[in-house]
Amino acid sequence: MTTSEQVGDTADDGTKRQFISWVTLALMTTASVASLRPSPSMAIYGLAAVFLYLLPAVVFLLPTALVGAELASGWTGGIYRWVSEALGKPLGFLAVWCQFAMTIAYYPSLLAYVASTFAYVIHPSLAENGLYVAIVIIVIYWTGVWVSSRGTRTVAGLSSMGLVIGTLIPGVVLVALGIVFLGQGNPSAASMSPGHWLPPWTGLASLVLIVNNFLSYAGMEMNGVHVSSLRSPRSEYPRSIFLATGLVLLIFILPALAISWVMPSGQLSLTAGLMQAFEAFFGHFGVGWLTKVVGIMLVTAALGGMLTWLAGPAKGLVQLSRQEGYLPPFLQRLNKYGVPQNIMVAQGVITTLIGVLYAFSSDVSSAYWMFSVITVQIYLIAYLLMFIAVVRLRKTQPDRPRGFYVPAVRVVAAVGFVASLAAMVIGFVPPDQFGGAPLWRYLLIVGGGLVLLGLAAPLAFLKFRKPGWIHPEHR
């Protein structure tokens, strides 16, 4: 989900074209999307988690993957190029800014998960301690900035192993323990009867946790850049996407169900729910010491992913701003390692302020959820623009060569657009689980985060932009 691609077309360098199989692309896509982190959010719903994962997969995951493939196979340069070609450069900047700005809210929620998970290695009671979570967020983030600013490449290995260490192995173990647990005749904490396939309807608040699934599926479209590496994109890419979708759903759904089998929804933490389930299963089978081992595996994978993400979106934004002059020269500066340290520090100041809020929160799960919603809403702005762009480009540049064409593009784009818009609206409704907090506080934080980070900041940069902001090498 980085935006570090060059803005122009890639020239043919005469090298021999390398092909990949559609199965390989499906596995690459699965690795970039699948994660265990959202499982506790859906485990609250028990069997209904299946429906709540399937619905956004059909109306959001598939449209974004198909649209991303057409755009990536016709235009290099990522979402800035796509939106700029269709709707103009200012909206292109808004789209790429949102890809960067969502990380400002994303890192606090990710590191809150890391803090709660690591608490089970130290002392489980710390998982819901706001001060502890705040300290972990601030210390780990700034440590990550220091590591990334030195241009080290050793962190790449952490991320490449993340799918195996932090997702596949713990996920398989969790599901296997759950199956054995039920096979021993133990009752499930959540009802698994057919009547519970759908979540109980108590208004929009009963469905609001589904919004988190949009973030879970975010980034599926970025693998569309590899569509040109397939021998027969029109037939193989849809197969790849459907296989990846099936694998992603299995990785999301089965662990969520396993958690619901052992943890009652009323006791489930959105940040530490995964470790609660492992602790309960390992305790039941008399191997409680393995809880700490799994905790270290999950934390290692999450930190590896964070470190490789940290400089990516920022570097892409800075490279673009050097060419087009979107950011002040101070924020465009690169250190001697070629890393955009200044903008990472500016981002870190905001991340620190958000982290401090956890110290004053009496409910870490509630704070985690609100910042997850802000992340989703900011990112959805970029998706809304992308769905409009593909329809516009099909009309304005119909003869542009594309390696893949979305069938019924208007219908697919409309479904994705409406689903994204609905997710943004639903995100302003507090979940049933957080009914005790004042509504105005929830709306102020979620709405304020969306407006300030997702809209006001990029509009301010566009308004006060000056010709001198373009880097000398691009004038």
Side-chain angles (χ1 to χ4, degrees):
M1 284 186 283
T2 65
T3 55
S4 56
E5 302 94 332
Q6 294 298 317
V7 178
D9 284 318
T10 303
D12 185 0
D13 59 5
T15 57
K16 185 177 179 180
R17 186 177 175 188
Q18 299 292 317
F19 290 102
I20 61 174
S21 70
W22 65 271
V23 175
T24 298
L25 180 56
L27 294 176
M28 290 169 59
T29 303
T30 303
S32 66
V33 176
S35 169
L36 295 179
R37 192 165 71 93
S39 299
S41 299
M42 290 299 106
I44 290 174
Y45 289 103
L47 190 60
V50 178
F51 168 79
L52 295 176
Y53 269 121
L54 284 174
L55 180 61
V58 172
V59 302
F60 178 74
L61 183 147
L62 287 177
T64 56
L66 295 173
V67 167
E70 173 166 334
L71 294 172
S73 66
W75 294 266
T76 60
I79 197 167
Y80 173 77
R81 176 76 182 281
W82 307 339
V83 177
S84 295
E85 290 271 349
L87 306 172
K89 288 186 175 181
L91 288 178
F93 172 67
L94 175 61
V96 79
W97 169 268
C98 287
Q99 281 195 330
F100 161 76
M102 58 82 73
T103 63
I104 297 174
Y106 171 73
Y107 288 129
S109 63
L110 171 65
L111 294 178
Y113 160 78
V114 169
S116 295
T117 300
F118 191 65
Y120 279 77
V121 179
I122 307 172
H123 198 289
S125 64
L126 292 173
E128 289 293 325
N129 185 299
L131 180 60
Y132 159 78
V133 172
I135 292 173
V136 171
I137 289 174
I138 295 169
V139 171
I140 292 183
Y141 179 84
W142 286 107
T143 301
V145 169
W146 179 79
V147 172
S148 297
S149 67
R150 298 185 63 80
T152 180
R153 297 183 179 181
T154 57
V155 297
L158 286 173
S159 179
S160 63
M161 293 298 293
L163 178 68
V164 176
I165 295 176
T167 300
L168 292 183
I169 294 177
V172 170
V173 170
L174 183 65
V175 174
L177 290 173
I179 292 174
V180 174
F181 178 79
L182 294 182
Q184 291 180 335
N186 296 294
S188 169
S191 176
M192 293 289 118
S193 64
H196 290 81
W197 277 98
L198 295 176
W201 179 253
T202 58
L204 285 178
S206 62
L207 280 180
V208 72
L209 287 182
I210 198 174
V211 174
N212 204 36
N213 288 347
F214 282 73
L215 177 62
S216 301
Y217 293 139
M220 190 82 163
E221 80 287 350
M222 299 308 294
N223 288 282
V225 72
H226 300 296
V227 72
S228 59
S229 298
L230 297 173
R231 293 184 183 276
S232 302
R234 294 192 182 187
S235 61
E236 291 184 338
Y237 186 74
R239 271 185 274 168
S240 173
I241 287 303
F242 283 115
L243 175 58
T245 300
L247 292 174
V248 168
L249 285 173
L250 285 176
I251 293 174
F252 280 145
I253 291 173
L254 294 182
L257 290 178
I259 293 173
S260 74
W261 294 337
V262 72
M263 288 302 302
S265 61
Q267 301 175 20
L268 196 60
S269 165
L270 297 189
T271 53
L274 197 57
M275 292 306 298
Q276 286 179 321
F278 275 116
E279 184 180 50
F281 279 135
F282 288 144
H284 175 79
F285 291 108
V287 286
W289 60 271
L290 282 175
T291 303
K292 297 181 185 297
V293 175
V294 170
I296 293 173
M297 292 170 65
L298 294 172
V299 167
T300 300
L303 291 180
M306 185 205 79
L307 287 174
T308 54
W309 261 67
L310 199 54
K315 188 173 183 179
L317 180 63
V318 167
Q319 288 178 344
L320 177 63
S321 296
R322 285 179 154 225
Q323 298 175 37
E324 302 290 341
Y326 289 125
L327 297 178
F330 174 77
L331 294 179
Q332 296 180 22
R333 290 178 191 167
L334 305 177
N335 65 13
K336 63 181 180 180
Y337 300 104
V339 176
Q341 183 173 312
N342 285 7
I343 196 170
M344 289 168 60
V345 170
Q347 177 185 9
V349 171
I350 302 175
T351 300
T352 298
L353 294 175
I354 294 175
V356 169
L357 292 177
Y358 275 90
F360 298 96
S361 174
S362 59
D363 186 350
V364 171
S365 288
S366 180
Y368 168 85
W369 170 252
M370 286 189 287
F371 291 118
S372 294
V373 170
I374 295 171
T375 302
V376 175
Q377 299 212 347
I378 292 173
Y379 207 5
L380 285 176
I381 295 175
Y383 281 111
L384 291 172
L385 293 170
M386 187 181 81
F387 288 126
I388 297 173
V390 72
V391 176
R392 176 71 175 165
L393 289 172
R394 187 72 77 87
K395 180 180 179 180
T396 59
Q397 301 185 34
D399 299 325
R400 174 87 177 191
R402 299 158 169 85
F404 176 79
Y405 287 80
V406 179
V409 65
R410 289 180 179 272
V411 175
V412 172
V415 169
F417 184 91
V418 171
S420 299
L421 192 61
M424 290 187 72
V425 174
I426 294 174
F428 285 103
V429 181
D432 283 336
Q433 288 77 8
F434 308 136
L439 177 62
W440 66 267
R441 184 184 303 169
Y442 181 88
L443 294 177
L444 180 64
I445 295 176
V446 173
L450 172 63
V451 172
L452 291 176
L453 295 178
L455 296 173
L459 291 178
F461 284 126
L462 288 171
K463 178 177 177 59
F464 297 105
R465 177 184 175 195
K466 299 177 181 179
W469 288 6
I470 298 176
H471 196 271
E473 66 186 23
H474 295 289
R475 292 176 187 170

